[in-house]
Amino acid sequence: MGRISNTLKRFAAGLTAVMLMVVSNAGVFTDPLASAAGQVADRSIKISDSRASNTGTSYLVTFTPFTTAGQSLVIDFCSNSPIIGSTCTAPAGFTAASASFTAGTGTTNWALGTLTANTVKVTKNTGANLGTTAVSFTLGGVTNPSATGTYYARIYTYADIAYGGGTPYTSATALGSYVDYGGFALSTSTAVSVTATIMETLTFCVSKVAPGNGCSGTTAPNLVLGHGSPLILDFTAIDSDGAYTQISSNAATGVAVNMKTTNTCTGLSRDAGVTCPIPGKGAFGTVAAGTAFFGLNVANGTGCIGSVTANVNYGTTAGSYGMGTNTTSTYGDTIQGSTSAVANVNSLLTFAATASTVTPAGVYTATEILIATGTF
Amino acid sequence: MSSWKQKNIRQAGRVAALGLFIFISLLVPAVARAAQSSSSNYQVNEVFFGVGGELHACGTAYCAKQSAGETGAGNTASPNYQAQAGFNTDRQPFLQLVVNTTNINLGVLTAGTTTTANATFSVKSYLSNGYAVTNAGTPPTNGSYTMNTLGSPTASAAASEQFGINVVRNQTSCATPAPVNFGADPVQVPSASFSFGAAATGYNTCGLFKYVNGDTIAASTKSSGQTDFTISYIFNTTSTTRGGSYSMSHVLVATATF
């Protein structure tokens, strides 16, 4: 009887042991995540722009596979959950249907499979199987969700190029026989819109003496050409006098300075500008005493910031002068300018004249108007 | 004899019943996990110790998470591992970036005078190995012209054209004096026990400013509750800074690694 009893006890104990073994291994049979599959590590999706509805967004996907030999993968983008296998609601406005693929680490020659608005398939194509070191690739041309806030992605890798072989992936709740998996959280947000205004500036002055910064210390630019006492022009000499311009401007593409005369002719007049017995020089060039002319030489400007250069019709060879016919036009003739913003740049303008032996006597004048124009 | 035999049979039966009980009771948690996770497959899930709560208490219309007598909660971490303690932790990874300041209009800038502004944003990330917030926007532009930006941490200089930011409190009393007192250090919400975001290198020194598109300006090295950040902007212009309207869409991108 004792033997029977012991036998029964052993049977019961054995049954219990078997049950415990079954229980302890139950997950192996019921939980696919606990089989060969593993969670990918160090996974992230970096987006190039977080603004809602932003188009052309790049998504840099990085992860480290748990299982080697992955040959294809699927990414689902969901608005509700990153949990593998749960229902996936496509984020409103999100689309990766026209995404591009750029290989990264470990994904050379991989290529896109089929795409839907929120599902991206990638296969190894002619590339190598995934290892267990970090891999990456970029999905370009993605449109972000239309709402700001958190959204999710899920990734599954497969040991074949068919996204799960006999039971391939068909949806976020029918994943097929995947080997690795992982969830991501992403976030769209608004951007900080920053605006500021810088006023367009132009400070221009003409002075007999060189101006200080900010057109300080100017004097009236009244020039008298001649020699001797009193000052006279004659055929024996070329007489000159100078004045300065100073330009400061934040004009993006610079400042142009034009000169126009109040005379109807380009030279010096003794009849209120009707005629010019001492004519304008014309083209820039050398001059000789005794050949009546009125001309201008412009030196290149120097100063704090930037440079102002003479127009080729007025500079810069010393002793040469010019006076174009455009000085009688509505907007005058360009004599100098800059190609960028400048600050406190002074330029010397030298006016010169001489008379001939037949130049009529009289008081000759010309009022030259200088006009600075900035292009912002 | 018969009594002795019946006694042994009853004992054997009790042992078998005990085994059956253990068998059934060990299956029950799997059912409970499924109820909590509500996925079609079983998942690695949160583990619940103790009797003071329930993760998935549902009526016909509402569900609740309950806890009572909870003795410890929050994040605990070593250099390689971390855990979220507490009855009501969630198993869903999470990342949230909220930009609170959407428009900054600085008006007219004056050459030689520093103009400052602030914007705030908040980040929290759960079940992650940390996050990084990066610049994703070009500096202020005026047509084709881009304002000169500070490529390395630099002090504000009113006589130079500069655009830069940092993510800390700026004061005139700092080692590198800020032009004015403005900005704020990151604020951990609810406390530094739960939140760990910090200004990133290059953007974390009072009085020094920088702006490089793509740079990380704030980060956490582990799962973090909410951290409120304040961006401090500086604008310095000169008489030759191109005139016109400058605009910038300062996009911030938060990326969490799980």
Side-chain angles (χ1 to χ4, degrees):
Chain A
M1 292 305 273
R3 197 175 302 127
I4 293 173
S5 171
N6 288 337
T7 300
L8 285 171
K9 288 180 180 176
R10 288 192 188 112
F11 171 75
L15 178 61
T16 301
V18 170
M19 290 175 173
L20 288 171
M21 286 178 61
V22 169
V23 168
S24 66
N25 290 283
V28 173
F29 304 116
T30 60
D31 189 346
L33 302 183
S35 61
Q39 184 167 245
V40 297
D42 296 328
R43 60 193 182 278
S44 65
I45 297 179
K46 183 176 185 178
I47 58 178
S48 63
D49 197 312
S50 64
R51 289 174 293 184
S53 299
N54 187 69
T55 58
T57 313
S58 294
Y59 281 55
L60 172 61
V61 181
T62 304
F63 63 96
T64 301
F66 179 82
T67 306
T68 190
Q71 298 186 36
S72 61
L73 60 89
V74 176
I75 299 177
D76 283 318
F77 291 91
C78 315
S79 64
N80 57 322
S81 171
I83 302 300
I84 308 301
S86 64
T87 301
C88 173
T89 304
F94 178 92
T95 181
S98 301
S100 61
F101 177 87
T102 303
T105 304
T107 53
T108 301
N109 293 325
W110 281 55
L112 288 174
T114 55
L115 303 172
T116 68
N118 70 319
T119 300
V120 174
K121 292 181 177 179
V122 183
T123 179
K124 76 171 188 177
N125 193 26
T126 59
N129 294 352
L130 299 181
T132 53
T133 56
V135 297
S136 66
F137 57 86
T138 300
L139 301 174
V142 178
T143 300
N144 285 348
S146 55
T148 57
T150 304
Y151 59 112
Y152 306 95
R154 311 168 188 177
I155 190 170
Y156 336 102
T157 67
Y158 298 87
D160 55 50
I161 60 171
Y163 311 104
T167 55
Y169 170 96
T170 55
S171 72
T173 55
L175 305 177
S177 302
Y178 60 94
V179 291
D180 285 350
Y181 61 92
F184 306 80
L186 304 89
S187 181
T188 52
S189 69
T190 53
V192 182
S193 176
V194 182
T195 58
T197 301
I198 296 177
M199 294 176 65
E200 289 79 1
T201 61
L202 174 61
T203 303
F204 177 65
C205 58
V206 184
S207 171
K208 184 68 177 68
V209 299
N213 287 348
C215 281
S216 60
T218 59
T219 58
N222 298 321
L223 310 186
V224 179
L225 305 180
H227 58 275
S229 180
L231 296 173
I232 61 167
L233 284 178
D234 61 24
F235 63 91
T236 64
I238 298 170
D239 295 303
S240 64
D241 199 358
Y244 292 87
T245 60
Q246 184 182 93
I247 308 171
S248 296
S249 177
N250 61 5
T253 54
V255 177
V257 176
N258 284 16
M259 183 176 76
K260 66 179 290 187
T261 179
T262 58
N263 295 338
T264 58
C265 44
T266 61
L268 296 174
S269 174
R270 60 174 186 156
D271 55 7
V274 177
T275 61
C276 292
I278 299 178
K281 169 64 179 65
F284 186 74
T286 57
V287 293
T291 302
F293 85 94
F294 174 60
L296 169 66
N297 178 287
V298 179
N300 288 335
T302 58
C304 292
I305 300 173
S307 61
V308 175
T309 57
N311 184 280
V312 293
N313 294 323
Y314 294 90
T316 58
T317 305
S320 291
Y321 298 88
M323 189 62 74
T325 55
N326 278 343
T327 55
T328 60
S329 66
T330 302
Y331 299 104
D333 202 15
T334 300
I335 63 169
Q336 64 178 170
S338 72
T339 56
S340 62
V342 292
N344 301 315
V345 177
N346 289 347
S347 302
L348 175 62
L349 311 185
T350 302
F351 291 88
T354 187
S356 70
T357 54
V358 296
T359 298
V363 176
Y364 288 79
T365 62
T367 299
E368 304 294 339
I369 301 168
L370 297 168
I371 307 163
T373 305
T375 301
F376 297 91
Chain B
M1 198 66 167
S2 172
S3 172
W4 184 88
K5 178 180 177 182
Q6 287 175 349
K7 182 180 176 184
N8 280 286
I9 291 174
R10 278 200 301 272
Q11 286 179 344
R14 286 182 188 133
V15 172
L18 176 62
L20 185 60
F21 172 77
I22 294 171
F23 178 81
I24 294 172
S25 63
L26 288 175
L27 286 179
V28 167
V31 175
R33 284 196 307 171
Q36 179 203 348
S37 63
S38 70
S39 73
S40 58
N41 297 309
Y42 293 102
Q43 303 283 332
V44 175
N45 211 327
E46 295 177 283
V47 179
F48 187 98
F49 297 100
V51 295
E54 186 174 348
L55 290 175
H56 195 72
C58 295
T60 55
Y62 300 99
C63 290
K65 291 182 176 181
Q66 306 165 353
S67 70
E70 194 169 14
T71 55
N75 178 279
T76 180
S78 71
N80 295 320
Y81 300 98
Q82 61 177 329
Q84 306 297 327
F87 292 160
N88 277 338
T89 59
D90 201 319
R91 73 191 185 111
Q92 269 200 182
F94 183 77
L95 172 66
Q96 184 181 64
L97 167 66
V98 177
V99 177
N100 304 302
T101 308
T102 55
N103 279 293
I104 297 174
N105 189 340
L106 297 165
V108 177
L109 305 182
T110 302
T113 301
T114 302
T115 302
T116 63
N118 293 120
T120 62
F121 66 95
S122 302
V123 187
K124 51 185 166 182
S125 179
Y126 185 63
L127 294 183
S128 71
N129 294 323
Y131 64 80
V133 178
T134 56
N135 292 320
T138 56
T141 56
N142 172 14
S144 60
Y145 179 73
T146 301
M147 184 173 280
N148 185 45
T149 58
L150 300 171
S152 60
T154 305
S156 173
S160 300
E161 182 180 312
Q162 295 178 325
F163 169 73
I165 68 170
N166 69 21
V167 194
V168 292
R169 182 185 185 194
N170 295 287
Q171 293 192 291
T172 55
S173 59
C174 289
T176 301
V180 294
N181 295 333
F182 73 120
D185 288 327
V187 176
Q188 311 300 348
V189 179
S191 72
S193 298
F194 297 91
S195 304
F196 312 101
T201 301
Y203 298 87
N204 60 352
T205 305
C206 171
L208 296 180
F209 302 87
K210 177 187 180 186
Y211 187 86
V212 174
N213 193 7
D215 261 8
T216 296
I217 63 171
S220 173
T221 57
K222 56 187 174 181
S223 191
S224 173
Q226 181 173 322
T227 302
D228 295 339
F229 295 95
T230 299
I231 305 174
S232 295
Y233 298 87
I234 62 159
F235 292 79
N236 285 313
T237 60
T238 70
S239 60
T240 57
T241 300
R242 183 176 293 193
S245 180
Y246 287 77
S247 63
M248 171 192 189
S249 186
H250 190 189
V251 177
L252 302 173
V253 173
T255 304
T257 300
F258 297 95

